[in-house]
Amino acid sequence: MNEPQVHVGILFEPQIAFELLAPYHINGQEVSGTQVVSYDNGSILWNGALYQELLFTPLTDATSSFELFDVTIGINFHWERKENQRFLGSLKFIVEHEKLTGINVIGVEDYLTSVISSEMSAKASLELLKAHAVISRSWLLDKLNITKQPDGKTEVRPSAPTFYVTDSEFIKWYECDAHIHFDVCADDHCQRYQGITRASTPLAAEATSSTRGEVIMSDGNVCDARFSKCCGGAFEEFASCWATVSHSYLQKKRDSQTNTELPDLRIESEADRWIRTSPEAFCNTTDKQVLAQVLNNYDQETTDFYRWKVTYEQAALSKLIFERSGIDYGQIIDLIPVERGVSGRLIKLKIVGSKRTMTIGKELEIRRTLSASHLYSSAFVIDKVDTVEGVPGQFRLTGAGWGHGVGLCQIGAAVMGEQGYAYDEILLHYYIGATIDKLY
């Protein structure tokens, strides 16, 4: 197969300003310089004319670039901010939800060079960058439904429902197939992609080129190669975070090669003990040199990764949960773990209020409900403090890890790279029983 192209949703605004830093083609004409497109009653307004779609294509693919102004990064996370971003490839505009969507159309390999520089520092070790290139490529090609079939055809998998609601439960999970008019977005919801805004070192380019076309495979299919910042010492299973599907390569395992024993963290007492202690694991590190390989400057604003603590006063928590969920629970009486996954992450959490009681899930919905941005993970235990007449004055959460914990742990993989593990050893540690194959 040839190298595919990917359509990446970058910016979603009523008006978008950008600069073509080299000559681009559109509608038979050559344009460059600063441009502005605006939403106008279901159409795109550009240079006094209305369009349903615009596509700016570079005269020279390898070097031509454009810059988008005021791109929001870290959407709904604690580091959310705006910045100008520069990209290779083509620039497409469409109308969506009474706004304009700016889309970068680019080859998979150029996309990947940016992703591994955006997801982590381009200063990371070569083996770590190579491992990340392979998983990012695998994840993307899986999303593009490119799977190796015996007859050479591609298989298109239907999307599964992403929530269910009853009078007492609200269970929701978040998938990138929510994007209809482009393949992936550029933020952490999919893969962090910032074009050529971040410095891409020769090492990052080498990581992509030396693994060109390589993917993780299982049972003849490209793996859905999930990854997160810090697993907290134990890998989570796919079904705990998304649809109730079992992937043999995304299973329970301890993030260690020397100590492989892992308690059954689905049991509350075992999860409590695990989370309140600091067990040995690859990702249990405070080495700033290692962390700097994985974390960009805004990620380093977070100082606790492996274990963390958050405290909420009663009034603040009641207000937060109401604002985040739209449900008035009244005063929060209790937060009760209902179901945990194999890493200790909560799949279901019961919120007991003076006005209403509801069980919520899955892990990201719990994290979104209990934080103004996103709680670091759903692997936490709860202490109630200063209880008066059955109403706690304070809730203290002690937690483990950052992110969903499924698949590759970026901090753990960085430590493995520093310890001399090769990229294929890193990959096969995190994706159990998988193989590494070359698609193109």
Side-chain angles (χ1 to χ4, degrees), residues 313-315 317-318 321 328-336 350-358 382-395:
E313 301 297 329
Q314 170 65 236
L317 182 61
S318 302
I321 292 177
D328 184 4
Y329 288 89
Q331 291 182 303
I332 304 303
I333 307 301
D334 210 349
L335 300 174
I336 303 174
K350 181 183 287 187
I351 302 175
V352 180
S354 58
K355 294 181 179 179
R356 184 167 183 179
T357 295
M358 178 77 77
I382 304 121
D383 293 304
K384 295 175 290 181
V385 181
D386 300 332
T387 300
V388 178
E389 296 182 355
V391 180
Q394 193 178 81
F395 287 82

Side-chain angles (χ1 to χ4, degrees), residues 4 8 15 46 66 68 86 126 138 146-147 161 224 290 295 298 348 354 372 389 392 395 406 416 426:
V8 189
Q15 185 176 85
W46 177 62
F66 61 89
L68 290 173
R86 190 169 293 191
L126 178 59
S138 302
I146 297 174
T147 57
D224 188 350
V290 171
L295 306 170
Y298 41 85
K348 293 183 179 181
S354 58
E389 296 182 355
F395 287 82
V406 179
M416 292 185 74
I426 295 172

Side-chain angles (χ1 to χ4, degrees), residues 156-396:
V156 179
R157 298 180 299 280
S159 297
T162 57
F163 67 92
Y164 61 88
V165 181
T166 69
D167 290 339
S168 61
E169 284 194 332
F170 181 83
I171 310 299
K172 183 175 183 179
W173 55 98
Y174 297 81
E175 280 287 9
C176 77
D177 56 11
H179 304 313
I180 298 172
H181 302 296
F182 50 89
D183 300 316
V184 293
C185 68
D187 216 53
D188 293 70
H189 176 259
C190 291
Q191 294 191 116
R192 189 182 294 174
Y193 168 70
Q194 292 157 0
I196 55 175
T197 310
R198 298 279 175 270
S200 176
T201 66
L203 213 57
E206 181 184 347
T208 305
S209 62
S210 65
T211 64
R212 178 180 173 84
E214 287 187 11
V215 294
I216 309 166
M217 303 284 290
S218 180
D219 297 325
N221 294 319
V222 178
C223 291
D224 188 350
R226 304 294 169 118
F227 57 91
S228 64
K229 277 288 186 288
C230 178
C231 69
F235 307 169
E236 190 49 75
E237 294 179 338
F238 182 92
S240 298
C241 304
W242 300 287
T244 308
V245 174
S246 178
H247 293 304
S248 61
Y249 51 89
L250 298 175
Q251 297 294 330
K252 168 184 175 179
K253 186 178 178 180
R254 185 162 173 170
D255 189 22
S256 174
Q257 293 280 22
T258 57
N259 190 343
T260 58
E261 184 179 351
L262 183 65
D264 187 348
L265 301 180
R266 296 170 298 178
I267 300 171
E268 192 61 29
S269 59
E270 296 287 0
D272 189 282
R273 185 179 303 110
W274 176 266
I275 291 169
R276 292 186 193 276
T277 56
S278 185
E280 182 273 331
F282 284 123
C283 58
N284 185 358
T285 182
T286 57
D287 186 327
K288 291 184 178 180
Q289 182 177 343
V290 171
L291 294 175
Q293 292 186 37
V294 177
L295 306 170
N296 284 308
N297 290 335
Y298 41 85
D299 284 339
Q300 292 183 51
E301 294 167 10
T302 303
T303 57
D304 300 314
F305 307 103
Y306 194 68
R307 294 294 182 267
W308 49 265
K309 294 181 183 293
V310 175
T311 299
Y312 296 108
E313 301 297 329
Q314 170 65 236
L317 182 61
S318 302
K319 182 174 182 287
L320 173 66
I321 292 177
F322 173 65
E323 289 176 347
R324 297 295 283 168
S325 69
I327 297 173
D328 184 4
Y329 288 89
Q331 291 182 303
I332 304 303
I333 307 301
D334 210 349
L335 300 174
I336 303 174
V338 175
E339 181 183 357
R340 290 188 185 272
V342 295
S343 73
R345 282 168 171 78
L346 284 165
I347 302 172
K348 293 183 179 181
L349 174 72
K350 181 183 287 187
I351 302 175
V352 180
S354 58
K355 294 181 179 179
R356 184 167 183 179
T357 295
M358 178 77 77
T359 296
I360 65 169
K362 293 185 177 182
E363 65 90 29
L364 186 54
E365 185 65 19
I366 293 170
R367 293 166 60 199
R368 288 187 170 193
T369 301
L370 295 181
S371 173
S373 55
H374 290 67
L375 200 64
Y376 295 145
S377 86
S378 70
F380 60 83
V381 292
I382 304 121
D383 293 304
K384 295 175 290 181
V385 181
D386 300 332
T387 300
V388 178
E389 296 182 355
V391 180
Q394 193 178 81
F395 287 82
R396 296 176 182 172

Side-chain angles (χ1 to χ4, degrees), residues 132-161:
H132 216 293
V134 174
I135 64 169
S136 294
R137 185 183 295 110
S138 302
W139 181 88
L140 177 63
L141 296 187
D142 175 73
K143 292 296 153 286
L144 296 176
N145 292 313
I146 297 174
T147 57
K148 188 185 290 184
Q149 301 299 313
D151 59 4
K153 296 180 180 179
T154 59
E155 175 190 20
V156 179
R157 298 180 299 280
S159 297

